[in-house]
Amino acid sequence: SQKIEQNSEALNIQEGKTATLTCNYTNYSPAYLQWYRQDPGRGPVFLLLIRENEKEKRKERLKVTFDTTLKQSLFHITASQPADSATYLCALVPNSGYALNFGKGTSLLVTP
Amino acid sequence: NAGVTQTPKFQVLKTGQSMTLQCAQDMNHEYMSWYRQDPGMGLRLIHYSVGAGITDQGEVPNGYNVSRSTTEDFPLRLLSAAPSQTSVYFCASSYSERPNYGYTFGSGTRLTVV
């Protein structure tokens, strides 16, 4: 069956460190992969998109990598801040369709 | 620019009642979709539309109807509410089904069916 798996356990890191979140997928051939941020009681907010033929994308303190051999995307937040505390969602669109499929998300807590 | 507007924000229904969740966008987006979010389940696609007059089912369509008579609006109808439909519902839109950037989500409707 198709799966998009993210760390179910919350990630706790200290302010200033780099946070790394993992997204693994099985039985998908993704056209592209997206990362979203979701705060409690709010809708997801788009952060970054990376296509199947791209290895890495950057936006300010954010970096996404995409390894189609490992079937994995890594999401990095450098110089993390308490304001980065949120749930981060991985989502992908398969080559065979265009429905955006989501993982369950990983909660990140950045402490001062 | 309002983005994606969902109404109501909160709703309590009795089992068997019907209601419509409203979703409107002012970005002239062709693609619109409805998700539900449940604890431990993540976001699951209910229905989507690639343009006015065109709709299709997602992963969990049972118990829900949609229609798309205009580009701006994509209402979600619950015909006979059940406790299993207690959830948070999000509407999302994009300029196409394969955009170069992500979807824009509304702030959600929290629905409780008793």
Side-chain angles (χ1 to χ4, degrees), chain B residues 49-60:
Chain B
S49 169
V50 299
I54 306 169
T55 63
D56 207 345
Q57 297 180 351
E59 179 186 357
V60 288

Side-chain angles (χ1 to χ4, degrees), chain B residues 31-104:
Chain B
Y31 183 85
M32 296 185 74
S33 54
W34 277 101
Y35 288 85
R36 60 178 289 173
Q37 188 172 38
D38 304 291
M41 297 296 293
L43 283 156
R44 293 181 292 169
L45 182 64
I46 305 171
H47 285 285
Y48 63 93
S49 169
V50 299
I54 306 169
T55 63
D56 207 345
Q57 297 180 351
E59 179 186 357
V60 288
N62 292 341
Y64 307 96
N65 274 359
V66 292
S67 60
R68 183 100 179 267
S69 56
T70 67
T71 299
E72 295 78 19
D73 300 298
F74 191 42
L76 179 71
R77 298 182 185 85
L78 282 69
L79 303 176
S80 179
S84 61
Q85 294 178 304
T86 293
S87 187
V88 181
Y89 292 84
F90 289 101
C91 179
S93 75
S94 177
Y95 69 87
S96 85
E97 63 269 23
R98 290 273 184 101
N100 290 322
Y101 52 84
Y103 294 7
T104 302

Side-chain angles (χ1 to χ4, degrees), chain A residues 31-32 34 36 38 41-44 46 49 51 89 93-100 102-104, chain B residues 31 35 37 40-43 45 48 50 59 90 97-103 105-108 110:
Chain A
Y32 58 82
Q34 303 179 10
Y36 288 79
Q38 187 174 24
R42 309 289 293 271
F46 171 71
L49 179 154
R51 299 189 178 282
L89 306 173
V93 174
N95 275 310
S96 59
Y98 36 74
L100 188 61
F102 281 86
K104 296 178 183 178
Chain B
Y31 183 85
Y35 288 85
Q37 188 172 38
M41 297 296 293
L43 283 156
L45 182 64
Y48 63 93
V50 299
E59 179 186 357
F90 289 101
E97 63 269 23
R98 290 273 184 101
N100 290 322
Y101 52 84
Y103 294 7
F105 279 81
S107 57
R110 185 174 295 273

Side-chain angles (χ1 to χ4, degrees), chain A residues 5 11 14 19-20 33 36-37 47 50 59 63 65 67 71 73 77 82 89 97-98 100 102-103 105-106 108 110-111:
Chain A
E5 295 178 302
L11 179 62
Q14 198 171 18
T20 298
L33 191 145
Y36 288 79
R37 168 184 174 140
L47 297 174
I50 187 164
K59 179 183 175 182
K63 184 178 82 171
T65 62
D67 190 327
K71 299 187 185 301
S73 175
I77 305 175
L89 306 173
Y98 36 74
L100 188 61
F102 281 86
T106 297
L108 172 67
V110 182
T111 53

